[in-house]
Amino acid sequence: MKVYQVLVEYVASKLNRPFSYVYNGDIPLYSRVIVSFNNRQCVGFVIDIIETDSLDEYQKKTGVIIKNIDQVIDEEPLISEELFSLAKKVADYYLCPLISVILAMLPPSLKPNKSSLHGVKVAFDTYVEALPGATFDNLTVRQAEVFYKLNQGKILKRDLSKTIVENLLKKNKVRLVNIERNRLKLESDKKYQLHELNDEQKIAYEDFISSDDKVYLLYGVTGSGKTEIYLNLTRYYLERNQKVLILVPEIALSYLMVERFTSLFDKVAVLHSSLSDGERYDTYRNIKKGEYDVVIGTRSAIFAPLDNLGLIIIDEEHADTYKQEDNLPYYNALTVAKMRLINGKLLLGSATPSLESKARALKKRYHELRLTKRVNDISLPECEIVDMSDYHNIDRNSFLISKRLRELIKDNLEKQEQVILLVNRRGFAPFISCKSCGHIMKCPSCDTALTYHKDINKLVCHHCGYEEDMILTCPKCHSSKVYKSGFGTERVVDETKKLFPEARILRLDSDISKRKNGIKSVIDKFSNHEADILVGTQIVSKGHDFPHVNLIGVVLADIALSLPSYKANERTFSLLTQTIGRAGRRNAGKAIIQTYLPDNFVINLAAKQDYDTFFNKELRYRHLLQNPPYTYLTMLILSSEDEDFLVEKMDEIKKYLLFHLDINQVEILGPSTMFINKYLNRYRRKFILKYKDFSLVKDTLITLQDIISSQSKLQLTIDVDPEQDY
Ligand code: ADP
Ligand code: ZN
Ligand code: ZN
């Protein structure tokens, strides 16, 4: 008798264990079933099968009445043994429910939850095929013509005349066959060719292949030919029948990389969240069937069901998009990649490696590979810093764009060169306030300021997406003195139009990326020189090749520095460095950084593209403050609809932590407020734990999780290795 161990679909630490069920028949491991749980039907996921001689004894031993599985959904396992053991490692490391990791691994229509059941299924195309041995006897001329073509190969039924097909079927000349359709069609025009590697590239490549180390950091300035190394290594692994997985921060920004891979290799799949459910389903199943050799994708592609994985490449390894922070599991794809390495190697690439990765390379825990020169020796752009607090630098024509930046834009426009302006904030104005009473328009469920978006004339919450119509009068005092303060991409576009009425201007931010093909069409237009100025958020700083851009303007560098994260300096440095790196891909260009903090070391070192000095300085700060890479962090986020109750509980939890943790080895920070103190109508507070070894906190956290999971008014979310809000 088989007892099936089933995880239910609900993500809750209280339910983070399998429940026993029986079934009259065989069910594959790692597949979905429908079970009743707490008098409700839900989807479950089979994670173990236990053989028992007597069900009665099993029930007696475990003390539970075992119910029947109502229905079996899948005929074969959805994930491999390897992926299941990876899921367990991830759940164990991030202290999150195992089912949340399995949900993250699978595409929407295969997820073990209710909504997947109405999801897409396999799509078929019907073909007409000539029956072997059928002759031309007894056919009309038109039927014979079609039959002749069918003898060369099968044809899609919908491409043929319906009556002719019917007649051919009647006369027993042909048959219909259904063939699975792959809804994802990758076009490749086979135009990229591998270059002969230059000396530096050759050394890095050979070094990688000949070493036995597991993890490598490829540190090379923008345009030094890192992608070329990825391509060469991929070829090397494919020749040895091993597969390659490549992670990129965002697909729309990596279309150049995707183009290079699809044009060089035959079996390349792309996995990312803006595919349709059908496309994701087909791609997932085909990867699993072994039909692809290379998978390129964003964060969750780290779970792609490739077997015989030889190489994982993570491009722009410093990017913040590799950390999931809005949904369980709160994983980092780099950490998961290391867990996934069994026989293979991991290559992390960046022009501005994260401090953690670079520090590990220094300690020889990662094998470092260097590319110091740009291909073709094009020099990096010359960068000037403009102090916006100095009135000599601005005038009444514009407070946003300095005189110097204006002069250079004008110069570039006259020479028919292109300009990129970086504005690290979308929308028109980040604050709408009343001049009479001081009232600030806030999101009703997050308690943060709403941003005015001019193109839709709405106020938008950038955290939860809440929208309302723009106001004409203050809702509190009815004054009409409603004031739009601050600026975002939309306002800079307006201002630039005013200053340069003849210029063609495009905007690129995540509002544009919500439209289908939004990013791609803007980038294509700009690459084809159909516009002169591109105004955008950090999206403009990533891997595009714009040969005619000779000027980069950073409208206000300070915005990035105020990010609520201990990584704010690092993020600002890489944002500025990578953006400036966009200028002068063909010949040396110019860059301007506008700031109120002209002496800030991050801004100055970014202007000089001096990563090494930045790294040493910032590392000293991290040491001083005992932040990673000198310690590890875990954030405990507690939330409740009742603020007073929450505040009270925070004190209790603090006492609990003080009592159970070794405070000589674990620093407990908090309780403290969060950057967003109220989110979706729940109040939030946090603790930060700092330690050198996870085992110092792990057991205490698991027990705390258990205690809190039984309290209905309080919720605990654990974020291991958090990257924001501290
Ligand atoms: P990165 O990924 O470091 O920014 P890329 O690999 O995109 O750099 O290379 C920048 C440009 O140089 C690309 O247009 C690429 O085709 C070209 N390139 C790279 N390696 C070579 C080489 N060995 N010889 C000639 N051109 C190269
Ligand atoms: Zn008012
Ligand atoms: Zn909100």
Side-chain angles (χ1 to χ4, degrees):
M1 181 94 216
K2 284 176 177 161
V3 181
Y4 293 92
Q5 301 297 307
V6 175
L7 287 178
V8 291
E9 65 177 283
Y10 310 113
V11 176
S13 47
K14 173 162 59 173
L15 302 177
N16 188 24
R17 64 178 180 89
F19 296 89
S20 298
Y21 289 89
V22 287
Y23 185 69
N24 188 11
D26 278 330
I27 305 175
L29 203 53
Y30 313 138
S31 67
R32 292 171 299 174
V33 291
I34 293 179
V35 294
S36 58
F37 184 78
N38 277 348
N39 302 320
R40 255 203 292 179
Q41 270 208 329
C42 72
V43 176
F45 191 78
V46 178
I47 60 164
D48 202 3
I49 302 170
I50 294 171
E51 290 280 353
T52 172
D53 295 336
S54 147
L55 194 59
D56 278 346
E57 239 163 64
Y58 186 88
Q59 299 198 115
K60 240 180 256 159
K61 202 170 71 196
T62 52
V64 286
I65 305 295
I66 299 181
K67 279 186 281 192
N68 275 300
I69 284 174
D70 296 341
Q71 200 185 322
V72 179
I73 302 173
D74 304 301
E75 288 165 8
E76 52 182 287
L78 294 180
I79 58 175
S80 62
E81 201 63 59
E82 187 247 323
L83 283 176
F84 183 67
S85 95
L86 178 66
K88 281 198 293 194
K89 283 186 211 163
V90 173
D92 183 60
Y93 182 89
Y94 288 105
L95 301 182
C96 61
L98 182 55
I99 192 73
S100 72
V101 186
I102 289 162
L103 283 161
M105 280 183 163
L106 290 158
S109 34
L110 292 175
K111 285 187 198 299
N113 63 18
K114 271 259 172 62
S115 56
S116 69
L117 300 183
H118 314 289
V120 289
K121 297 284 173 286
V122 181
F124 289 101
D125 280 325
T126 306
Y127 285 82
V128 184
E129 193 176 67
L131 276 170
T135 62
F136 281 79
D137 294 350
N138 187 22
L139 293 180
T140 66
V141 176
R142 288 190 54 219
Q143 290 165 2
E145 272 169 11
V146 173
F147 187 63
Y148 177 78
K149 279 195 230 153
L150 287 168
N151 272 293
Q152 323 290 311
K154 60 180 180 300
I155 298 175
L156 264 176
K157 180 164 174 254
R158 62 169 178 272
D159 291 345
L160 295 171
S161 138
K162 214 171 150 190
T163 29
I164 293 182
V165 172
E166 272 167 18
N167 285 320
L168 286 172
L169 280 168
K170 257 187 234 150
K171 291 179 179 174
N172 246 337
K173 302 290 180 188
V174 298
R175 66 178 168 210
L176 299 180
V177 284
N178 285 328
I179 292 181
E180 271 186 33
R181 180 170 41 175
N182 187 350
R183 275 160 284 210
L184 186 71
K185 284 272 171 289
L186 276 185
E187 289 151 37
S188 107
D189 28 16
K190 305 263 173 212
K191 59 182 178 199
Y192 196 78
Q193 285 194 326
L194 278 180
H195 296 92
E196 167 128 25
L197 295 181
N198 63 31
D199 291 348
E200 268 196 335
Q201 285 172 319
K202 223 177 266 164
I203 291 169
Y205 173 83
E206 300 286 342
D207 199 1
F208 185 93
I209 289 175
S210 57
S211 162
D212 288 330
D213 292 332
K214 283 271 175 197
V215 186
Y216 297 76
L217 174 65
L218 175 61
Y219 163 34
V221 293
T222 36
S224 59
K226 293 185 291 298
T227 310
E228 206 70 21
I229 292 189
Y230 303 158
L231 294 165
N232 277 276
L233 286 175
T234 300
R235 189 178 58 179
Y236 176 90
Y237 278 87
L238 297 190
E239 278 167 6
R240 277 151 192 81
N241 289 319
Q242 287 191 294
K243 299 194 170 163
V244 179
L245 174 60
I246 300 141
L247 294 194
V248 294
E250 203 178 315
I251 275 293
L253 308 179
S254 305
Y255 74 98
L256 272 180
M257 170 116 69
V258 173
E259 250 171 42
R260 289 180 196 174
F261 275 92
T262 48
S263 72
L264 284 171
F265 307 108
D266 286 333
K267 298 171 174 174
V268 181
V270 180
L271 266 184
H272 56 98
S273 56
S274 35
L275 295 176
S276 72
D277 285 359
E279 289 169 337
R280 283 171 83 177
Y281 179 62
D282 291 358
T283 310
Y284 187 89
R285 278 182 324 110
N286 287 323
I287 295 171
K288 190 160 164 268
K289 277 197 262 170
E291 290 184 9
Y292 292 109
D293 296 332
V294 179
V295 173
I296 305 180
T298 45
R299 181 177 59 218
S300 66
I302 193 59
F303 298 118
L306 282 170
D307 55 6
N308 199 13
L309 197 52
L311 172 65
I312 302 176
I313 296 170
I314 302 188
D315 187 36
E316 310 277 358
E317 63 89 32
H318 61 276
D320 57 357
T321 46
Y322 291 126
K323 176 80 200 295
Q324 173 154 299
E325 298 204 294
D326 50 5
N327 240 321
L328 285 176
Y330 284 28
Y331 68 98
N332 188 322
L334 273 74
T335 309
V336 178
K338 283 186 258 172
M339 296 174 184
R340 213 182 159 174
L341 288 183
I342 297 170
N343 302 312
K345 290 184 179 182
L346 171 62
L347 176 62
L348 308 172
S350 178
T352 53
S354 74
L355 248 72
E356 284 86 343
S357 295
K358 178 69 183 163
R360 287 185 183 130
L362 271 183
K363 283 167 90 183
K364 307 264 185 254
R365 287 177 47 204
Y366 294 173
H367 186 136
E368 184 167 333
L369 310 167
R370 282 297 308 264
L371 296 179
T372 58
K373 289 193 289 281
R374 284 181 131 186
V375 174
N376 304 332
D377 276 334
I378 301 158
S379 60
L380 284 158
E382 196 184 303
C383 183
E384 292 170 35
I385 296 172
V386 175
D387 180 1
M388 297 299 275
S389 61
D390 181 343
Y391 282 107
H392 296 102
N393 290 330
I394 46 176
D395 60 25
R396 64 174 64 231
N397 288 325
S398 173
F399 297 112
L400 283 181
I401 317 260
S402 63
K403 289 195 277 188
R404 177 66 178 144
L405 182 51
R406 259 177 269 162
E407 186 183 296
L408 288 173
I409 295 175
K410 186 160 166 277
D411 204 43
N412 266 266
L413 293 178
E414 276 163 9
K415 286 196 232 142
Q416 317 253 323
E417 304 272 22
Q418 288 174 300
V419 178
I420 292 178
L421 296 180
L422 174 76
V423 186
N424 206 14
R425 193 155 54 198
R426 64 198 167 90
F428 188 87
F431 287 102
I432 302 300
S433 57
C434 168
K435 260 195 171 166
S436 305
C437 75
H439 177 72
I440 293 175
M441 294 299 290
K442 286 186 172 176
C443 172
S445 54
C446 304
D447 206 34
T448 50
L450 294 169
T451 299
Y452 173 53
H453 284 246
K454 194 175 173 188
D455 58 357
I456 50 174
N457 199 34
K458 281 191 159 59
L459 296 170
V460 180
C461 171
H462 282 187
H463 305 296
C464 73
Y466 167 87
E467 283 183 11
E468 64 180 55
D469 288 337
M470 175 60 180
I471 47 163
L472 293 171
T473 54
C474 171
K476 219 172 145 199
C477 75
H478 306 293
S479 149
S480 59
K481 287 187 187 152
V482 174
Y483 190 69
K484 308 181 189 91
S485 45
F487 64 90
T489 42
E490 285 186 325
R491 189 170 219 152
V492 173
V493 168
D494 265 28
E495 185 104 351
T496 315
K497 266 188 193 145
K498 244 185 288 160
L499 295 168
F500 304 99
E502 72 292 349
R504 298 163 299 169
I505 302 171
L506 285 172
R507 177 166 64 97
L508 184 61
D509 53 30
S510 56
D511 292 325
I512 304 281
S513 70
K514 276 180 211 130
R515 304 176 196 157
K516 188 146 175 99
N517 286 326
I519 294 186
K520 178 97 168 72
S521 80
V522 171
I523 290 177
D524 282 350
K525 261 196 193 146
F526 196 63
S527 305
N528 296 335
H529 211 148
E530 289 166 40
D532 306 299
I533 303 178
L534 178 64
V535 176
T537 54
Q538 70 271 14
I539 301 179
V540 301
S541 72
K542 310 268 166 69
H544 325 296
D545 217 357
F546 298 125
H548 297 288
V549 171
N550 253 315
L551 174 65
I552 306 278
V554 177
V555 176
L556 190 63
D558 317 7
I559 299 174
L561 284 171
S562 64
L563 281 174
S565 164
Y566 73 94
K567 284 175 160 263
N569 281 349
E570 177 184 328
R571 297 256 153 87
T572 306
F573 182 85
S574 68
L575 173 66
L576 296 178
T577 311
Q578 305 251 358
T579 310
I580 294 168
R582 296 298 122 204
R585 299 286 276 188
R586 296 280 181 275
N587 42 33
K590 257 190 178 308
I592 294 279
I593 298 179
Q594 303 190 143
T595 175
Y596 290 101
L597 308 163
D599 300 323
N600 179 283
F601 81 95
V602 180
I603 291 173
N604 279 277
L605 292 171
K608 289 188 211 139
Q609 305 257 315
D610 184 354
Y611 176 84
D612 295 324
T613 309
F614 170 76
F615 171 78
N616 287 318
K617 241 184 145 110
E618 180 66 12
L619 203 62
R620 258 178 277 144
Y621 278 114
R622 296 278 184 95
H623 186 252
L624 203 69
L625 299 169
Q626 282 296 299
N627 278 336
Y630 295 98
T631 53
Y632 292 96
L633 307 174
T634 286
M635 177 157 63
L636 311 181
I637 305 166
L638 287 123
S639 71
S640 173
E641 282 173 19
D642 180 342
E643 194 173 15
D644 294 334
F645 173 78
L646 176 63
V647 170
E648 210 175 282
K649 285 287 165 190
M650 292 306 280
D651 286 337
E652 277 177 35
I653 295 167
K654 173 92 182 209
K655 278 182 215 148
Y656 179 88
L657 292 172
L658 285 171
F659 187 75
H660 290 275
L661 295 173
D662 174 358
I663 52 168
N664 294 315
Q665 298 196 74
V666 181
E667 192 180 346
I668 306 166
L669 302 174
S672 51
T673 54
M674 299 199 54
F675 183 61
I676 303 160
N677 268 318
K678 188 181 164 201
Y679 182 64
L680 297 175
N681 283 318
R682 294 183 73 88
Y683 293 91
R684 315 197 302 164
R685 293 283 191 283
K686 67 168 186 250
F687 290 105
I688 297 279
L689 306 182
K690 263 191 207 183
Y691 46 86
K692 301 229 176 201
D693 186 345
F694 194 47
S695 66
L696 292 165
V697 298
K698 190 172 180 183
D699 292 342
T700 305
L701 291 182
I702 292 173
T703 321
L704 183 67
Q705 213 168 24
D706 278 349
I707 297 171
I708 294 180
S709 71
S710 62
Q711 306 197 5
S712 57
K713 277 173 76 186
L714 192 63
Q715 201 182 319
L716 166 66
T717 309
I718 297 180
D719 187 355
V720 179
D721 308 333
E723 298 198 353
Q724 60 182 18
D725 222 315
Y726 164 68

